[in-house]
C-alpha cells in the first residue's frame, strides 16, 4: 500500500515538475529576454524578445500600416529587415515579390523578434501618432454605412493629405483577445483642423465594424493612429475618372473637398456604383461639388434597382457604365476605391480602353 502511494506521489511530482519545465520553456522561448531593435540607424531600442515585430514597434510608439490586424492577409505591414530576421516564413511568401525578397522585405506581423534586429521603414511612418478622439457624431449614411465624426483633443495637430487613411482601434469586447486595428479612409476635408470623418460599412461578423455599428455611441472615445497611404490626387493636366462603390466614397469626398478649397480645376468624372437606391448617399454633397468645381461631374449608377425605386440615372454594372462613356482612355488617369473585386474588374476595363497601368491608382478595401 505504502509503495503504491509513494509511486503515485513520485508520478504526481514528476508531472508537476514537467509542467513547470514546459511553462518555463514557453516563457523563455516567447520572451527571449530583452532584444535590441534598431530602426533607420536610430539608437537601438530594448524590446521584449518573442513578440511579433509589428507589436514590438507599436510598443515603441512606431505604427506600421496593418489593415488586417496582423492576420497576415493584407500584406501592408512590410518593413525591410537588414539583419536578425531569420528565414522568411511560409505565411509571408504569398505577399512578397521576388525583388522584395531580395531586398529583405518582411511582413512585420508575422516575423517575431527573437534576436537583435536592424530594420528600415519609410521615414514618414515615424511621424505617425496615436490619438484618443471623441466620437462627436454618428450618422447613418445608408442602412449599412455609418459616418463618424471624430474630435481631437484641444490643441492637437493632425494633418493629412486628402485620400489618406487612418487606423481605428476596436477595443477588447465580447471575448476579443486583444484590440484590433482596421484602416478607414478619411472622408472629410484636410482643411478642418480638430475633427475628421470616416465612412464605415458594416461587414457581417467583422470585428471592427461590429464594434462601430453595434457598440459605439456618440460621446465615446476611440483611438486612432495615422495618417497613412499614397492614394492622393496627382495634380497633372490629365483628365481623370474616379470610380467607387459603398464606403469607397470616403477618400473621394476628402479629395473633392480639397480640390474645392484649393481651386484645383482638373477635369474629373466620378462614377459611383450602387445596387439600388438604398445604397446611394451624399447626392447633395456631390451636387454641391458640381456647383463649385466646374470641371466635375458625378455619375451614380444602379446595377439592380429595387421595385419602386424612382431612378432616372445610369443603370448597369459600374464597369459597363464607364466603358459606355469613353472611347480611348489613353491619356487619362483613374482613381479607384472599394472592394478588391470591383477594383480588379475596373482595371481590366481601363487597360482595355488603352489607359496606362502607371496612371491607375487605387486603394483596395481588403
Ligand atoms: C487602405 C484601406 C482603407 C480602407 N478604408 C475603408 C473605409 O473608408 N471604409 C470602410 O468601410 N472600410 C475600409 N477599409 C476596410 C476596413 O479596413 C476593414 O477591412 C473592414 O471594415 C472590415 O473590418 P472588420 O474588422 O469589421 O472585419 P474583419 O474582422 O477583419 O473580418 C472581415 C471578414 O473576414 C471574415 N473573418 C474574420 N475573421 C475570420 C476568420 N478567422 N476566418 C474566416 N473569416 C474571417 C469576417 O466574417 C468578415 O467577413 C479599408 C481598407 C484598407 C486596406
Ligand atoms: S498586418 Fe496584414 S499582413 Fe501584416
Amino acid at each position: 500500500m505504502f509503495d503504491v502511494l509513494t509511486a503515485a506521489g513520485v508520478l504526481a511530482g514528476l508531472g508537476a515538475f514537467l509542467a513547470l519545465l514546459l511553462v518555463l520553456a514557453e516563457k523563455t522561448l516567447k520572451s527571449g529576454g530583452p532584444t535590441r531593435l534598431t530602426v533607420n540607424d536610430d539608437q537601438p531600442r530594448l524590446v521584449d524578445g518573442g513578440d511579433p515585430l509589428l507589436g514590438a514597434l507599436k510598443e515603441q510608439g512606431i505604427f506600421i500600416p496593418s489593415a488586417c490586424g496582423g492576420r497576415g492577409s493584407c500584406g501592408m505591414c512590410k518593413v525591410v529587415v537588414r539583419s536578425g530576421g531569420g528565414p522568411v516564413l511560409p505565411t509571408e511568401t504569398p505577399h512578397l515579390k521576388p525583388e522584395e525578397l531580395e531586398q529583405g522585405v518582411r511582413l512585420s506581423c508575422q516575423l517575431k523578434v527573437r534576436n537583435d534586429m536592424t530594420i528600415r521603414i519609410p521615414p514618414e511612418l515615424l511621424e505617425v501618432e496615436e490619438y484618443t478622439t471623441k466620437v462627436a457624431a454618428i450618422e447613418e449614411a445608408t442602412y449599412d454605412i455609418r459616418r463618424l465624426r471624430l474630435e481631437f483633443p484641444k490643441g492637437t495637430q493632425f494633418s493629412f493629405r486628402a485620400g489618406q487613411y487612418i487606423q481605428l482601434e476596436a477595443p477588447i469586447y465580447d471575448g476579443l483577445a486583444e484590440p484590433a486595428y482596421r484602416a478607414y479612409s478619411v472622408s472629410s476635408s484636410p482643411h478642418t483642423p480638430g475633427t475628421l470623418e470616416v465612412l464605415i460599412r458594416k461587414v457581417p461578423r467583422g470585428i471592427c465594424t461590429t464594434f462601430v455599428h453595434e457598440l459605439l455611441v456618440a460621446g465615446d472615445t476611440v483611438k486612432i493612429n495615422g495618417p497613412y497611404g499614397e492614394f492622393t490626387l496627382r495634380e497633372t493636366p490629365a483628365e481623370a475618372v474616379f470610380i467607387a462603390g459603398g464606403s469607397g466614397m470616403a477618400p473621394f469626398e476628402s479629395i473633392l473637398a480639397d480640390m474645392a478649397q484649393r481651386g484645383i480645376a482638373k477635369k474629373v468624372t466620378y462614377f459611383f456604383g450602387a445596387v439600388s437606391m438604398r445604397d446611394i448617399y451624399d447626392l447633395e454633397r456631390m451636387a454641391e461639388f458640381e456647383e463649385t468645381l466646374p470641371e466635375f461631374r458625378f455619375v451614380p449608377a444602379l446595377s439592380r434597382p429595387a421595385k419602386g425605386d424612382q431612378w432616372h440615372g445610369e443603370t448597369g454594372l459600374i464597369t459597363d457604365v464607364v466603358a459606355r462613356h469613353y472611347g480611348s482612355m489613353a491619356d487619362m488617369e483613374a482613381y479607384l476605391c472599394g472592394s478588391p473585386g470591383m477594383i480588379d474588374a475596373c482595371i481590366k476595363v481601363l487597360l482595355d480602353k488603352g489607359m496606362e497601368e502607371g496612371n491607375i491608382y487605387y486603394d483596395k478595401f481588403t
Side-chain angles (χ1 to χ4, degrees):
M1 176 68 176
F2 178 74
D3 281 353
V4 173
L5 280 179
T6 313
V10 168
L11 274 178
L14 200 64
F17 178 66
L18 283 175
L20 184 70
L21 270 186
L22 271 176
V23 170
L24 284 176
E26 162 83 21
K27 271 205 152 179
T28 316
L29 274 178
K30 180 179 180 311
S31 107
T35 305
R36 288 190 317 169
L37 177 61
T38 309
V39 182
N40 291 6
D41 303 324
D42 226 351
Q43 283 300 314
R45 302 152 191 261
L46 276 189
V47 301
D48 269 346
D51 285 341
L53 177 58
L54 181 72
L57 286 168
K58 188 171 156 280
E59 286 296 309
Q60 296 294 315
I62 299 175
F63 298 93
I64 306 291
S66 59
C68 70
R71 283 201 293 245
S73 59
C74 71
M76 293 181 80
C77 60
K78 291 175 183 172
V79 301
V80 174
V81 176
R82 286 280 161 84
S83 66
V88 176
L89 303 166
T91 46
E92 297 177 83
T93 41
H95 299 283
L96 300 172
K97 297 184 191 130
E99 59 272 24
E100 288 180 320
L101 285 168
E102 241 168 62
Q103 291 157 10
V105 176
R106 303 289 301 269
L107 289 192
S108 61
C109 70
Q110 299 299 301
L111 171 63
K112 293 204 167 141
V113 188
R114 295 209 190 275
N115 308 298
D116 289 353
M117 198 184 273
T118 303
I119 66 165
R120 288 207 81 78
I121 60 171
E124 61 271 18
L125 287 184
L126 293 170
E127 310 293 319
V128 168
E129 283 186 42
E130 183 149 70
Y131 305 87
T132 301
T133 61
K134 184 172 156 202
V135 181
I138 298 181
E139 182 205 324
E140 311 300 330
T142 70
Y143 73 100
D144 69 346
I145 298 178
R146 280 192 143 183
R147 190 189 324 269
L148 306 187
R149 196 168 83 241
L150 305 177
E151 239 171 49
F152 290 91
K154 278 206 169 55
T156 306
Q157 283 295 325
F158 177 78
S159 19
F160 67 97
R161 286 176 292 142
Q164 286 193 297
Y165 67 94
I166 50 107
Q167 293 192 148
L168 184 141
E169 183 201 74
I172 293 174
Y173 72 92
D174 271 2
L176 196 64
E178 52 184 355
Y181 290 84
R182 296 291 183 268
Y184 295 102
S185 306
V186 181
S187 59
S188 52
S189 160
H191 308 283
T192 48
T195 65
L196 66 74
E197 289 182 1
V198 284
L199 289 164
I200 301 186
R201 182 177 206 171
K202 188 163 194 309
V203 170
R205 295 178 306 283
I207 291 172
C208 193
T209 56
T210 300
F211 162 70
V212 167
H213 279 258
E214 291 179 11
L215 301 174
L216 198 65
V217 293
D220 282 355
T221 55
V222 69
K223 277 191 191 164
I224 64 158
N225 58 59
Y228 303 96
E230 294 300 322
F231 186 67
T232 53
L233 187 73
R234 274 60 180 176
E235 291 181 38
T236 63
E239 179 181 347
V241 281
F242 293 173
I243 310 176
S247 50
M249 170 78 91
F252 295 123
E253 289 199 344
S254 183
I255 289 171
L256 289 164
D258 185 43
M259 287 174 71
Q261 178 88 23
R262 297 199 289 128
I264 297 172
K266 194 176 173 81
K267 183 165 185 189
V268 172
T269 307
Y270 176 10
F271 296 89
F272 182 77
V275 178
S276 62
M277 281 300 282
R278 70 175 191 158
D279 304 297
I280 291 271
Y281 61 107
D282 286 353
L283 288 179
E284 275 175 25
R285 282 189 190 207
M286 292 302 129
E288 278 166 28
F289 287 131
E290 283 183 325
E291 293 266 300
T292 20
L293 295 165
E295 297 267 52
F296 172 65
R297 236 184 104 218
F298 181 61
V299 184
L302 298 188
S303 60
R304 221 177 325 119
K307 249 195 200 151
D309 277 356
Q310 301 282 322
W311 183 248
H312 307 291
E314 296 278 349
T315 49
L317 286 177
I318 203 65
T319 39
D320 297 337
V321 178
V322 173
R324 279 205 297 270
H325 268 72
Y326 297 97
S328 164
M329 298 178 88
D331 300 322
M332 296 176 63
E333 290 169 358
Y335 298 78
L336 322 172
C337 195
S339 71
M342 184 213 84
I343 290 180
D344 292 343
C346 287
I347 291 176
K348 195 171 169 311
V349 168
L350 298 170
L351 293 177
D352 284 350
K353 290 270 177 188
M355 192 175 287
E356 284 182 28
E357 205 174 347
N359 288 338
I360 305 175
Y361 308 98
Y362 53 83
D363 248 359
K364 281 186 183 175
F365 286 4
T366 50

